[in-house]
Amino acid sequence: MSLPSPSPASAPASAAAAAPTQAELLDFVRRAAADAELIASLPLDPEGRTWVRLAGPGGSEAWLIGWPPGTGTGWHDHADSVGAFVTAAGELKENALAARLPTDGWKTLELNDGVDRERRLTLGKGRAFGRHHVHEVLNESADRHAVSVHAYYPPLPQIRRYSRSGQTLRLEQVERPQDWQ
C-alpha cells in the first residue's frame, strides 16, 4: 500500500534530487491521513500495534500505524532523521522534551524543569519535528483504536529507546533497521 509519488516529469529537476523538508513530510502525512481508503485498509489488532510501510516522498520512510486502546511507543528518538506524523483516526497524545540532548556518549541525564511538552493530536492534527526529537506517542483511549501516518528522512538509521523516572532520562537500547525485520 503506497501513495503515488510525484512523477519525475511533473517535479522540477532540482526537487527530484533534494531531500524532503519537514514541511514536505508533514504535507505528505496530511494527504495520506485524509485518504479514507488507505486508512480503512490497515488491519487493526486488538492486542498490539499494526503497521504498513508506505512509499514516502523523496526517498523518505513512511508508515501507516494502528494503535489499539492503551498502547504507546515509550520514550524514543529517531536519531538523525527529521519527521512528521498526523492522526488519521481517533486521538493520540504526544509527550515530548523541549530540550536538545547530547547525541552520543551518555547513559543517564537529569532533565531541567520546564522541558516537558504535551500535545493532544485529534483527527487531522499532527506535527513535524527535527533531528534528535525525544518523545513518546500514546493512544490513551480505553475503547477506541487510533491510526496515524508517519514519515522520516533520511530513512531511520536507528531508534534510541529511553526510560524515564521523574526528571531522569536513561538510554536503554539502540535499535537498528535489521532489528525490526
Side-chain angles (χ1 to χ4, degrees):
M1 290 177 231
S2 63
L3 287 177
S5 298
S7 68
S10 65
S14 61
T21 65
Q22 290 177 42
E24 290 167 334
L25 294 174
L26 185 58
D27 178 62
F28 170 82
V29 296
R30 282 187 173 139
R31 286 184 291 112
D35 182 339
E37 186 177 326
L38 176 67
I39 303 311
S41 72
L42 180 67
L44 299 177
D45 182 323
E47 302 290 320
R49 288 191 299 153
T50 54
W51 53 89
V52 172
R53 187 159 186 168
L54 306 174
S60 65
E61 180 173 346
W63 297 92
L64 177 61
I65 301 175
W67 307 77
T71 59
T73 60
W75 287 95
H76 67 282
D77 72 16
H78 305 100
D80 291 321
S81 296
V82 298
F85 70 103
V86 167
T87 302
E91 179 178 319
L92 293 170
K93 175 183 171 186
E94 180 196 34
N95 294 318
L97 299 179
R100 186 80 165 150
L101 302 182
T103 56
D104 290 308
W106 65 275
K107 288 284 188 185
T108 303
L109 287 176
E110 287 299 318
L111 300 171
N112 293 328
D113 290 335
V115 298
D116 290 295
R117 300 292 182 267
E118 177 184 306
R119 289 178 179 84
R120 295 273 172 193
L121 302 169
T122 56
L123 179 66
K125 301 293 182 195
R127 67 181 313 256
F129 53 85
R131 290 170 167 70
H132 309 291
H133 174 70
V134 178
H135 69 163
E136 67 175 348
V137 180
L138 308 160
N139 177 5
E140 294 185 320
S141 173
D143 58 1
R144 235 183 124 197
H145 266 80
V147 176
S148 57
V149 182
H150 303 245
Y152 311 99
Y153 189 87
L156 297 173
Q158 64 184 15
I159 293 178
R160 290 183 286 245
R161 301 231 175 245
Y162 305 97
S163 63
R164 182 162 180 198
S165 178
Q167 293 301 100
T168 303
L169 187 70
R170 181 180 314 278
L171 176 64
E172 297 291 344
Q173 181 179 9
V174 177
E175 297 175 1
R176 291 182 171 69
Q178 59 268 26
D179 300 327
W180 309 322
Q181 303 305 325

